[in-house]
Amino acid sequence: MRDQIGGPYYLRDVNGRLDWPDRGVYFFFSPGSDLRADKPENWRLSRIGTVGVSAGSSNTLWNRLRQHRGNVRGKYAGGGNHRGSIFRLHVGRALIEKHGWHDEQPHWGDQNPDAETTAVREQEHELERRVSEYIRDLPFLWVDVPGDPGPECDRAEIESHTIAMVSHHRRSAGPSDLDWLGYHSPKSEVYQSGLWNVRHVSDSFDPLVVGQLSEYILSTEALDHQSRI
């Protein structure tokens, strides 16, 4: 996957002007993972996700990645909106637990309308900024998996089975990176699986997903390297 797309990519470097595929599956790795110098067996997956698995969804791969990246400009530049990104929500919760910021962030994760006020957004901006800094420095890879949106599409299968497969291994092998921020998460699914994922971490998986994923990797084309920055 790395060689096929000319990766790794970083959200601090890329933008929506690239010729992103409409839909796909993405794989984030832990901070400091060197996907060029390290052997693949030393890479550490930390988040698996996709887009377009709900019937009628019009979301795209870049839109999903942009939600995770956060805002580049505007009133809340450098921050973002964790209510539109479960990835950001989990990272923020782990930071709150690690630094004891519960009193400073009483509304983090609240989905009621009162949590969307300007005052709350301004209160949360500093934490949103820290979340953005963390996520933008994570190397990631992606694979083009086209097809109509829906829960039975290949993207949904690849996402769920790879999450379950990695989680199963992590639960059996134990922690491999004690400095990983996710071990501060209040979500047992996160710190037990070693992934910024909650759904599918306890599911069974079909190892044939590796072959299914490989077929899509071999057909994925790299983005224009000259326009990556």
Side-chain angles (χ1 to χ4, degrees), residues 11 23 25 27 72 94 133 167 180 193 218:
L11 287 178
R23 298 184 177 95
V25 182
F27 302 83
V72 173
E133 289 178 350
S167 175
W180 182 56
S193 69
L218 293 175

Side-chain angles (χ1 to χ4, degrees), residues 67 70-71 79-85 88 116 121 128:
Q67 290 171 328
N71 306 325
N81 181 10
H82 70 278
R83 293 177 180 85
S85 163
R88 296 183 65 89
E116 295 283 359
R121 290 292 303 275
E128 294 277 16

Side-chain angles (χ1 to χ4, degrees), residues 90-110:
H90 291 322
V91 171
R93 280 177 171 166
L95 286 169
I96 290 171
E97 292 293 328
K98 180 178 180 179
H99 298 288
W101 291 336
H102 304 86
D103 292 341
E104 292 87 347
Q105 300 294 336
H107 302 292
W108 191 266
D110 289 352

Side-chain angles (χ1 to χ4, degrees), residues 121-137:
R121 290 292 303 275
E122 291 178 350
Q123 180 186 43
E124 295 174 341
H125 179 63
E126 178 58 25
L127 181 53
E128 294 277 16
R129 187 183 65 79
R130 289 174 179 262
V131 170
S132 293
E133 289 178 350
Y134 180 86
I135 292 178
R136 291 175 189 180
D137 281 343

Side-chain angles (χ1 to χ4, degrees), residues 5 7 9 73 99-101 112 155 157-158 172 186 200 218 224:
I5 67 171
Y9 288 73
R73 56 184 62 87
H99 298 288
W101 291 336
N112 61 70
R155 288 183 304 280
E157 283 193 4
I158 291 172
S172 302
H200 309 303
L218 293 175
D224 180 1

Side-chain angles (χ1 to χ4, degrees), residues 25-28 45-50 159 162-163 166 195 197:
V25 182
Y26 57 84
F27 302 83
F28 279 87
L45 271 167
S46 63
R47 166 79 184 181
I48 301 170
T50 189
E159 179 196 39
T162 53
I163 289 173
V166 173
L195 294 167
N197 290 93

